[in-house]
């Protein structure tokens, strides 16, 4: 069990005797967004791709308080313990990355390595969104999501067309219409969007202290060159905040990079793991 007795669903693959690798998805996703990485890294790791609270098969508590970032962080920390481990390699995308960065800041001893895709710490994102008008424009939806029911209404329009627009890439076949139907199956359920949107509502702040991270965790940050939601200048802020960090940008790639360019993402992760495992 996790905080507030939350039941979390996860998919696993690989040998449980091998090192633990956990995957945290973003918005609006669920464990399925890691299908390419689960297959790739289960050769060498015990892979666990979880549905975060409010998503997929995991429990969906009502209200805003259960989606505070402190509880989301505790979910991951407690899952690691429930799996009988003290450390893991964590791979996280989008909202999963915000949670992972906070976990790394508070409990650095939890990590062997941390890989962040298309994300940043809350402190870095908050500074960028208020100091960079381009990032503020790219983050318009974050402000819209604060209004009751408006986000749910907009996201469900035209048979959940948001998934077709955001994830299907002309000329690339790594995300198929059949994959999109998997997302629409889950998010087409009644009230399915409210818990994920509550992540934004519960954690939005106009100002926050720039708390400095603890520990020295090997960290890889990867962005897509054509990310519609994040400015590449966030990478520079991440470099200033964290030591022992490597960064990479995948050309001609957008926000959902682990699905759009799985081979490139997997190679970057594997190269990083090879270096940091031997160091």
């Amino acid at each position: 069990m996790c905080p507030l007795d939350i039941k979390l669903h996860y998919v696993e693959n690989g040998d449980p005797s091998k090192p633990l690798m956990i995957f945290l998805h973003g918005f609006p996703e669920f464990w399925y967004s890691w299908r390419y990485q689960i297959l790739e890294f289960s050769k060498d790791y015990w892979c666990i791709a979880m549905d975060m609270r409010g998503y997929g098969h995991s429990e969906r508590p009502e209200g805003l308080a259960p989606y505070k970032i402190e509880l989301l962080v505790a979910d991951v920390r407690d899952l690691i313990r429930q799996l009988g481990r003290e450390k893991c390699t964590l791979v996280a995308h989008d909202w999963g990355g915000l949670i992972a960065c906070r976990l790394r800041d508070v409990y650095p001893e939890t990590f062997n390595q941390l890989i962040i895709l298309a994300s940043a710490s809350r402190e870095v994102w908050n500074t960028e969104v208020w100091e960079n008008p381009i990032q503020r424009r790219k983050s318009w939806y974050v402000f819209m999501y604060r209004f009751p029911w408006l986000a749910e209404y907009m996201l469900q329009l035209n048979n959940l067309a948001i998934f077709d627009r955001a994830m299907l890439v002309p000329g690339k076949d790594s995300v198929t219409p059949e994959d999109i139907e998997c997302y629409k199956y889950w998010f087409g359920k009644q009230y399915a969007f409210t818990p994920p949107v509550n992540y934004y509502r519960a954690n939005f702040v106009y100002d926050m202290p720039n708390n400095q991270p603890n520990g020295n965790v090997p960290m890889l940050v990867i962005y897509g060159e054509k990310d519609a939601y994040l400015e590449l200048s966030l990478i520079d802020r991440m470099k200033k905040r964290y030591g022992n960090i490597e960064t990479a940008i995948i050309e001609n790639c957008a926000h959902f990079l682990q699905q759009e360019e799985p081979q490139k993402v997997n190679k970057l992760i594997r190269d990083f793991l090879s270096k940091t495992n031997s160091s």
Side-chain angles (χ1 to χ4, degrees):
M1 292 294 184
C2 289
L4 301 183
D5 291 332
I6 287 293
K7 294 180 180 179
L8 298 176
H9 168 259
Y10 62 82
V11 169
E12 66 172 308
N13 195 24
D15 186 343
S17 69
K18 292 184 177 180
L20 176 63
M21 178 179 284
I22 291 181
F23 297 93
L24 301 183
H25 63 78
F27 174 92
E29 300 171 276
F30 64 113
W31 73 263
Y32 186 72
S33 65
W34 299 109
R35 57 197 179 278
Y36 289 110
Q37 287 69 43
I38 294 170
L39 291 174
E40 170 66 22
F41 293 103
S42 61
K43 306 166 190 173
D44 304 299
Y45 291 85
W46 182 29
C47 291
I48 302 288
M50 62 183 287
D51 287 335
M52 294 195 294
R53 65 165 67 194
Y55 285 86
H57 280 299
S58 289
E59 199 169 343
R60 305 178 182 214
E62 296 182 359
L64 297 184
Y67 299 97
K68 288 287 188 179
I69 194 165
E70 292 79 11
L71 293 177
L72 304 175
V73 165
D75 283 348
V76 184
R77 180 200 62 193
D78 290 354
L79 175 63
I80 295 168
R81 293 174 177 174
Q82 291 288 336
L83 293 170
R85 301 299 182 88
E86 296 181 358
K87 286 178 173 287
C88 74
T89 294
L90 188 61
V91 186
H93 173 251
D94 188 76
W95 247 107
L98 269 74
I99 297 166
C101 284
R102 182 59 181 163
L103 180 65
R104 178 254 174 273
D105 292 351
V106 180
Y107 303 107
E109 68 278 3
T110 302
F111 295 93
N112 292 313
Q113 299 101 343
L114 174 59
I115 297 99
I116 299 293
L117 310 179
S119 189
S121 72
R122 286 182 76 205
E123 292 82 1
V124 164
W125 182 88
N126 197 71
T127 301
E128 185 74 7
V129 81
W130 295 118
E131 294 186 2
N132 186 340
I134 299 176
Q135 180 60 61
R136 196 155 55 247
R137 285 196 297 272
K138 285 188 171 186
S139 300
W140 66 271
Y141 61 94
V142 176
F143 300 91
M144 185 267 286
Y145 285 177
R146 300 182 65 213
F147 293 96
W149 300 112
L150 179 59
E152 289 90 332
Y153 172 76
M154 296 289 288
L155 290 163
Q156 290 170 336
L157 287 175
N158 301 320
N159 186 31
L160 290 88
I162 179 65
F163 291 103
D164 301 278
R165 293 196 303 270
M167 294 185 182
L168 288 176
V169 179
K172 297 183 181 181
D173 59 4
S174 54
V175 181
T176 67
E178 290 75 20
D179 294 325
I180 297 301
E181 288 304 312
C182 293
Y183 288 98
K184 290 185 178 182
Y185 171 80
W186 279 111
F187 288 94
K189 297 177 183 293
Q190 190 175 22
Y191 307 122
F193 267 115
T194 296
V197 173
N198 281 345
Y199 279 50
Y200 293 91
R201 293 169 176 152
N203 295 289
F204 183 92
V205 293
Y206 284 103
D207 190 22
M208 65 183 304
N210 189 20
N211 298 318
Q212 292 304 305
N214 299 314
N216 183 29
V217 177
M219 192 170 180
L220 172 65
V221 177
I222 309 173
Y223 275 43
E225 178 193 22
K226 296 185 176 180
D227 196 312
Y229 312 106
L230 299 174
E231 274 291 280
L232 296 181
S233 51
L234 284 161
I235 293 179
D236 293 328
R237 292 192 187 274
M238 289 290 284
K239 287 180 179 178
K240 292 178 182 178
R241 179 172 175 80
Y242 294 104
N244 200 5
I245 185 172
E246 295 186 21
T247 63
I249 297 172
I250 298 179
E251 296 181 357
N252 192 31
C253 184
H255 184 69
F256 297 92
L257 61 171
Q258 77 270 35
Q259 300 181 90
E260 182 181 340
E261 292 288 356
Q263 292 183 343
K264 293 180 180 179
V265 168
N266 290 353
K267 185 178 186 306
L268 285 168
I269 294 175
R270 189 164 287 285
D271 290 347
F272 172 73
L273 294 175
S274 295
K275 286 185 291 185
T276 52
N277 281 332
S278 61
S279 61

